[in-house]
């Protein structure tokens, strides 16, 4: 059904294209790309906003298990493998039960910590180009350069 809809839209747009000049054609190509994306997204009932925002905090009360085994690799702290945010497993051998990590998960954030000429007393986005929060694992980030991401909600 979706491919039939897309074929129809494309065939109708090709009819429109035949009467356009070169500059107009370029503008129409961009509009068509966006239109087709919108049609496909609507037809597939996809929701792009879930990609840009992590799921709501639901399971933060359950403790992570360290170390844990995931894809034949042992992790001693939270990892971002196959994820945009750090996560941990509830089981030693990953069974599909997991949650996003926060500042209280090992290794522990140390507050306050020195960053540049400031002393920072909570997770910060300062200095992180991805605009995600992070913290230092020692009292002096300038000296040790040890850090981790904080919860994606901060």
């Amino acid at each position: 059904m979706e491919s039939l809809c897309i074929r129809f839209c494309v065939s109708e747009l090709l009819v429109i294209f035949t009467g356009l000049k070169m500059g107009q054609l370029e503008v129409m190509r961009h509009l068509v790309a966006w239109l087709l994306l919108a049609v496909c997204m609507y037809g597939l009932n996809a929701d792009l906003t879930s990609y840009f925002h992590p799921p709501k905090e639901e399971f933060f009360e359950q403790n992570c298990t360290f170390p844990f085994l995931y894809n034949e690799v042992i992790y001693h702290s939270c990892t971002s493998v196959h994820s945009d945010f750090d996560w941990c497993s509830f089981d030693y051998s990953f069974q599909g039960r997991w949650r996003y990590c926060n500042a209280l998960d090992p290794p522990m954030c140390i507050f306050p910590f020195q960053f540049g000429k400031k002393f920072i007393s909570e997770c910060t986005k300062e200095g992180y180009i991805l605009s995600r929060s992070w913290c230092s694992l020692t009292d002096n980030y300038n000296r040790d350069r040890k850090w981790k991401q904080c919860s994606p909600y901060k």
Side-chain angles (χ1 to χ4, degrees):
M1 179 69 172
E2 289 144 4
S3 63
L4 179 63
C5 176
I6 291 171
R7 283 186 201 148
F8 174 75
C9 289
V10 169
S11 66
E12 289 298 310
L13 290 170
L14 286 175
V15 171
I16 294 170
F17 281 160
T18 56
L20 296 178
K21 295 179 181 170
M22 199 56 148
Q24 294 171 323
L25 186 62
E26 189 63 28
V27 170
M28 285 302 291
R29 280 190 191 142
H30 291 289
L31 291 173
V32 168
W34 283 107
L35 176 65
L36 289 176
L37 177 64
V39 168
C40 289
M41 296 308 290
Y42 179 77
L44 297 175
N45 291 323
D47 183 9
L48 278 178
T49 58
S50 65
Y51 175 78
F52 297 112
H53 303 289
K56 292 195 171 115
E57 199 169 340
E58 295 175 7
F59 300 107
F60 274 89
E61 60 274 353
Q62 187 160 349
N63 289 331
C64 295
T65 298
F66 295 109
F68 66 91
L69 180 69
Y70 176 70
N71 283 351
E72 301 178 12
V73 176
I74 295 177
Y75 295 91
H76 294 273
S77 63
C78 295
T79 181
S80 60
V81 171
H82 299 126
S83 175
D84 288 334
F85 300 101
D86 284 351
W87 62 275
C88 62
S89 175
F90 294 152
D91 308 295
Y92 171 76
S93 182
F94 182 72
Q95 304 294 313
R97 297 175 349 113
W98 63 279
R99 69 168 171 82
Y100 288 114
C101 294
N102 60 41
L104 302 176
D105 292 316
M108 300 292 286
C109 294
I110 303 296
F111 298 113
F113 64 90
Q114 186 175 2
F115 175 64
K117 295 181 180 180
K118 296 181 180 179
F119 282 91
I120 299 186
S121 58
E122 62 185 10
C123 290
T124 181
K125 293 182 179 182
E126 188 174 333
Y128 197 165
I129 61 171
L130 296 177
S131 190
R132 294 191 182 145
S133 60
W134 66 278
C135 65
S136 178
L137 300 178
T138 66
D139 63 344
N140 190 331
Y141 174 81
N142 300 333
R143 176 188 66 223
D144 304 315
R145 303 282 187 208
K146 304 284 184 196
W147 66 280
K148 76 172 195 171
Q149 285 186 7
C150 295
S151 168
Y153 306 103
K154 301 213 181 230

